[in-house]
Amino acid sequence: MSLAATFDVPQLTRPAPGRVLAWLVAGVLLAMLGSLSLGYRIYGLGQVWTAFFAPDGSEAATVIAGLRLPRALIAPLTGAALGVAGTVVQTLSRNRIASPDTLGLNGGAALAVVLASTVFGVQSLTGLSLAAALGALITSLVVFGVAASAGGLSPLKIVLVGVTFASLSHAVVEVVLTSNEAQLQQLLFWLSGAFVDRPMSHVTTGFPVIALGAMVAFALSRPLDALQADDATAQSLGVPLPLVRGLAFLAVALLTGAAVSMAGPVAFVGLVVPHAARHLVGLRHVWQLPASALVGALYALLADIVARFVIFPVEAPVGAVTAVVGAFVLLVLLRRRAA
């Protein structure tokens, strides 16, 4: 039986994966241009050009280069990181409704950032990024460890443990912030997931971590293909399961931790994006992972643009937009599994 049949992926006539990736790159670039142009004030292409190549100190140049450029970079970086992390998580758990959210990784990273900031006084972006990555890594080990100790790594059991840990993390975050009112206002909007008011230093700090996590994930493309079947099949193909799983956990931790440290726990990106990527390029991870990165980048950029207008003139947290879409997709997936 083929992998496509095993995971109930419809056999569709798709364009060549390389062509799909090229179209996705073009879409991301156009969405980034839209992110620079659209907002409370709409700027033309000429003003965007002037802001970068002939800055004149005008209000438009200041807003575009100083405020909109960081979020136009942070949004695709965050979306790409969560998209790749979601693909790896779904392959590891062999569960199409698994994601960094449902496994509690976003919650664990957020908890680590809040504790590092409020309890240990960490304020540097590097320190918070490391705390987020460490929180995501510890959470992944705890979730998979508890699920395994309870009688095996069944897909449903992993998700149930992850959701429980996510709820616990969010509860602890609320308790910590409630007892630290000074930190509450500073971190409340961040905890909803947002790209607004982020400094360019978030990009320079987060990008190397995301790049490292992505390189580890991409290096595991062929072993991840084998893991889509079962452990016995993967071992028969020569896959060193403990090493591959350990490296995959590391990749997910780096990607999720960097994304959370830059933008907060943006919900459901890691759930929605892998499904779109598989639909576009199929099951092979050599194509699926870059497609997940590009779809995630595009999804985050479009969600950020929508967040600027959905309750205009007030800006909504982008996490609220992705949560609405993600909740709908999750219900559809659960309905299919129950059918």
Side-chain angles (χ1 to χ4, degrees):
M1 182 179 293
S2 68
L3 286 177
T6 301
F7 292 106
D8 195 27
V9 177
Q11 295 294 308
L12 302 176
T13 301
R14 299 186 183 92
R19 182 176 299 178
V20 172
L21 296 184
W23 279 108
L24 287 173
V25 170
V28 170
L29 293 176
L30 285 175
M32 290 179 71
L33 182 59
S35 181
L36 294 170
S37 303
L38 303 174
Y40 184 78
R41 291 193 177 181
I42 298 176
Y43 299 111
L45 297 181
Q47 291 170 297
V48 174
W49 177 272
T50 299
F52 293 118
F53 300 104
D56 54 7
S58 64
E59 177 191 0
T62 301
V63 170
I64 292 170
L67 298 178
R68 292 191 181 174
L69 178 60
R71 69 191 299 182
L73 295 174
I74 289 173
L77 282 174
T78 300
L82 293 176
V84 173
T87 297
V88 175
V89 163
Q90 289 184 8
T91 299
L92 282 176
S93 62
R94 302 190 185 98
N95 190 331
R96 295 303 190 231
I97 62 173
S99 72
D101 311 274
T102 57
L103 295 193
L105 306 187
N106 279 2
L111 175 60
V113 169
V114 169
L115 291 177
S117 176
T118 58
V119 178
F120 300 103
V122 177
Q123 298 298 327
S124 70
L125 295 175
T126 302
L128 294 178
S129 297
L130 291 174
L134 182 61
L137 177 60
I138 292 174
T139 302
S140 65
L141 295 176
V142 169
V143 169
F144 278 83
V146 171
S149 67
L153 286 172
S154 72
L156 180 59
K157 194 174 299 179
I158 292 172
V159 171
L160 288 176
V161 175
V163 170
T164 301
F165 195 87
S167 300
L168 177 62
S169 298
H170 289 308
V172 175
V173 166
E174 290 182 5
V175 170
V176 173
L177 290 182
T178 301
S179 60
N180 292 269
E181 295 184 7
Q183 296 286 338
L184 177 60
Q185 294 302 320
Q186 178 182 350
L187 294 176
L188 191 58
F189 193 78
W190 173 83
L191 286 170
S192 299
F195 306 129
V196 65
D197 294 332
R198 298 295 192 262
M200 185 61 75
S201 54
H202 275 47
V203 176
T204 56
T205 302
F207 176 75
V209 181
I210 291 174
L212 178 59
M215 286 190 292
V216 174
F218 284 21
L220 298 175
S221 293
R222 295 189 67 178
L224 288 174
D225 285 345
L227 279 176
Q228 291 181 107
D230 54 57
D231 286 358
T233 300
Q235 285 181 317
S236 69
L237 294 173
V239 175
L241 293 181
L243 176 62
V244 170
R245 284 200 173 108
L247 290 174
F249 286 147
L250 177 62
V252 170
L254 291 172
L255 293 166
T256 304
V260 170
S261 67
M262 289 193 300
V266 182
F268 288 112
V269 175
L271 171 68
V272 174
V273 168
H275 291 274
R278 280 190 293 271
H279 178 75
L280 290 172
V281 299
L283 289 170
R284 291 186 62 196
H285 283 81
V286 68
W287 298 113
Q288 190 182 155
L289 290 173
S292 295
L294 291 169
V295 172
L298 181 60
Y299 180 39
L301 282 163
L302 294 178
D304 186 38
I305 293 172
V306 170
R308 304 178 195 187
F309 296 100
V310 67
I311 53 174
F312 188 84
V314 179
E315 183 164 329
V318 71
V321 176
T322 58
V324 171
V325 176
F328 174 77
V329 172
L330 180 60
L331 289 175
V332 171
L333 293 173
L334 289 172
R335 183 181 178 89
R336 286 182 178 178
R337 290 175 68 92

